[in-house]
Amino acid sequence: MSELSVNHLLGIKYLQKEDIELIFQTADHFKEVINRPIKKVPSLRDITIANLFFENSTRTRLSFELAEKRLSADVINFSAASSSVKKGETLIDTVSNILSMKVDMVVMRHPNPGAGIFLSRHVNASIVNAGDGAHEHPTQALLDSYSIREKLGGVEGKKVVIVGDILHSRVALSNIFALKLQGAQVKVCGPKTLIPKYIESLGVEVEPNLRKALEWCDVANMLRVQNERMDISYFPSTREYIQLFGLNKAMLDSLSKKIVIMHPGPINRGVEITSDVADSDQAIILDQVQNGVAVRMAVIYLLASKIKQ
Ligand code: CP
C-alpha cells in the first residue's frame, strides 16, 4: 500500500490494517528526521493547516503544531475560548470562514462525538479528528500502538489491558479498534459502572480484578477518570477507586513479570497510578508523547499527499 485508503482521519474504525502499517513505516522515517540536528523537511511547504481546538488540550495540540511545522506547513491556530464561537457562530460558519482563507487541512478537537464526521460532509478540506467527545482519538491510539511496537517489537499477539474509565474514554475506543485490527488481545478492567455494555461485541474481555488483569497482560494502559464527562457519581469515592483500580509500585513490583505501563495523559498522580509508577523504568509515558510527533507527521504527510493529487 502506498497511500491511505481514506481522505480524512475521522476514527480508527474507518482504517484498514494496511493504513496503520503505512502510517508506522512513514513515522519511522519522520522519527529519524526529528532526531537530526535540523529537524525539519520541506515536504508540505505548499499546505496550510488550521488547528481548531474547541476543548482543552496540552499534548495533542502542541504535538500537531510541532508535527506541522517540522513538515514546513503553514499553520494557524484557533481556540474556541477566545473566538467568535463565544458570540454564537456555528461550527460550519466558523470553519467555512477559516477555509475561505485557503486552508487545506483542519485538525479539530471538539466536545461533541461525530463533530469531525459532520464537518467532513460539509466542507472541502481534509479533516483530522484530534478527539471528539467520548467517541474517538485516532492519533492517540496510533501513537500508543506505535510505542508498543517500538518497545515490544510488534503489536500482533500482545496482551493489552486498558484500565479505568472505559465508558467516557475516546482513547479506550480508538485503542481497542487499533489493537484488534493489528491482532492484539485486549481486556478492559475498571468499575462495572464505567465499562460499556457493548464492550464484548468489540472482541474485548472484561477482567474486573486489577491484579489478575496485570498478571495476564504485557502492557497496561492506565486511563484517567474523566470527571468532566460525568454528570452522576459512578463509584462511591476516589479512595475506593484507588484501592480497587489504582496501580502502585508495590503491586507493580509484586507481579511475576515486568509489564509496560502506558498512560495517554494528563495523569492524576496518586489516583490511576502513583508517581513512582509513572516515573518508573517500566513506564513509557514520555516515549508516547515523543512518538506522537512522528506519528502525526506521518498522518498529515499521507493525507496531504492525497490533497495534492
Ligand atoms: N492525550 C491527550 O489527548 O492529551 P491532551 O488532552 O493534553 O491533548
Side-chain angles (χ1 to χ4, degrees), residues 56-61 109 130 137 140 170-171 264-266 296:
N56 294 344
S57 170
T58 300
R59 280 147 291 272
T60 311
R61 183 179 180 145
R109 171 168 287 191
H137 192 350
Q140 179 69 45
R170 55 195 175 207
V171 174
R296 291 182 172 114

Side-chain angles (χ1 to χ4, degrees), residues 60 111 123 140 146 190 244 257 275 282 289:
T60 311
V123 301
Q140 179 69 45
Y146 186 84
L244 293 175
K257 62 179 175 188
S275 277
Q282 285 169 253
V289 177

Side-chain angles (χ1 to χ4, degrees), residues 2 48-49 61 65-66 91 94 109 116 122 128 209 211 239 244 296 306:
S2 60
T48 303
I49 303 176
R61 183 179 180 145
E65 187 173 347
L66 202 53
L91 176 61
T94 301
R109 171 168 287 191
H122 289 89
V128 182
N209 182 288
R211 177 170 289 281
R239 195 168 151 192
L244 293 175
R296 291 182 172 114
K306 300 198 80 173

Side-chain angles (χ1 to χ4, degrees), residues 257-272:
K257 62 179 175 188
K258 271 197 136 188
I259 62 169
V260 176
I261 303 299
M262 300 176 70
H263 194 302
I267 302 172
N268 280 332
R269 286 175 181 258
V271 182
E272 61 272 13

